[in-house]
Amino acid sequence: MSGLALLDYASVLVFALTGALVASRAQLDLVGFAFIACLTAVGGGTVRDLLLNRHPVFWVGQPDYILIAVAAAVLVFFTAHLVESRYNWLVWLDSFALSVAVAAGTGAALSLDQSGVIVVLMGISTGCLGGLMRDVVCNEVPLVLKQGELYVSCAFAGALTAVVANLLGFEEFVALAACALTCWALRAGSLLFGWQLPVYKSRPPRN
């Protein structure tokens, strides 16, 4: 099994757990859990593969990804009530999933010799779109757009780190590890220490 496939498996598993946690907050049934888990798990990677013209889409070629997502949904369905704060679990699992998915998307684009701009965009898309779909469908405030926290910027920084490392001649494993670590460190710093970018503040119009 290739390193990129392992990244995809890890991303699918952890994102599926976050999808199932959101489904538990929405009090859905087991089928709803499975649907949201699968949507979250493969949403970003599906968009990535379609944009990169990779055929078949990763989970179509390997249905095991869907089975893993469904298994994660079933696990959370029967255990979510044991968790004291599902939201805290959600945001931290999501931070890990984001980091792994950004590395997976970045690695997929690098393997196809895409330009640096496309590599960064694929990393961001793979990391952010599944969670965005999850939150929109479940009527949650999307974590990707939550004010006062870093999210897309973490994905951008991670993917850019991989591009720079690749240009400097580092091995793919090192570049993708640096990508995931950079992304997660920034996201964790935002959650723990309140790191954020300046936000727009409206001002009254001038006379």
Side-chain angles (χ1 to χ4, degrees), residues 119-189:
V119 171
V120 170
L121 290 176
M122 291 304 101
I124 294 172
S125 299
T126 309
C128 298
L129 292 182
L132 179 61
M133 295 174 192
R134 170 199 68 206
D135 294 340
V136 169
V137 169
C138 290
N139 200 30
E140 295 256 350
V141 176
L143 289 177
V144 67
L145 298 175
K146 193 169 183 181
Q147 185 179 12
E149 293 182 7
L150 301 177
Y151 199 99
V152 177
S153 48
C154 302
F156 170 77
L160 184 62
T161 298
V163 170
V164 172
N166 183 66
L167 290 174
L168 292 176
F170 287 96
E171 293 184 5
E172 181 183 88
F173 171 79
V174 175
L176 297 183
C179 167
L181 182 60
T182 299
C183 181
W184 186 79
L186 290 174
R187 180 66 180 139

Side-chain angles (χ1 to χ4, degrees), residues 40-193:
T40 310
V42 304
T46 298
V47 174
R48 171 201 68 200
D49 286 357
L50 291 175
L51 290 175
L52 290 176
N53 201 29
R54 296 176 79 199
H55 295 296
V57 172
F58 76 107
W59 58 269
V60 175
Q62 291 289 337
D64 292 352
Y65 291 107
I66 298 298
L67 298 179
I68 289 172
V70 171
V74 173
L75 174 65
V76 174
F77 184 83
F78 289 107
T79 60
H81 66 283
L82 302 175
V83 177
E84 183 176 349
S85 175
R86 278 172 283 175
Y87 185 75
N88 284 337
W89 275 88
L90 169 62
V91 294
W92 282 105
L93 281 173
D94 187 86
S95 73
F96 288 114
L98 172 68
S99 305
V100 176
V102 170
T106 301
L110 284 173
S111 70
L112 296 175
D113 296 322
Q114 296 290 335
S115 67
V117 172
I118 301 303
V119 171
V120 170
L121 290 176
M122 291 304 101
I124 294 172
S125 299
T126 309
C128 298
L129 292 182
L132 179 61
M133 295 174 192
R134 170 199 68 206
D135 294 340
V136 169
V137 169
C138 290
N139 200 30
E140 295 256 350
V141 176
L143 289 177
V144 67
L145 298 175
K146 193 169 183 181
Q147 185 179 12
E149 293 182 7
L150 301 177
Y151 199 99
V152 177
S153 48
C154 302
F156 170 77
L160 184 62
T161 298
V163 170
V164 172
N166 183 66
L167 290 174
L168 292 176
F170 287 96
E171 293 184 5
E172 181 183 88
F173 171 79
V174 175
L176 297 183
C179 167
L181 182 60
T182 299
C183 181
W184 186 79
L186 290 174
R187 180 66 180 139
S190 179
L191 294 172
L192 289 173
F193 308 118

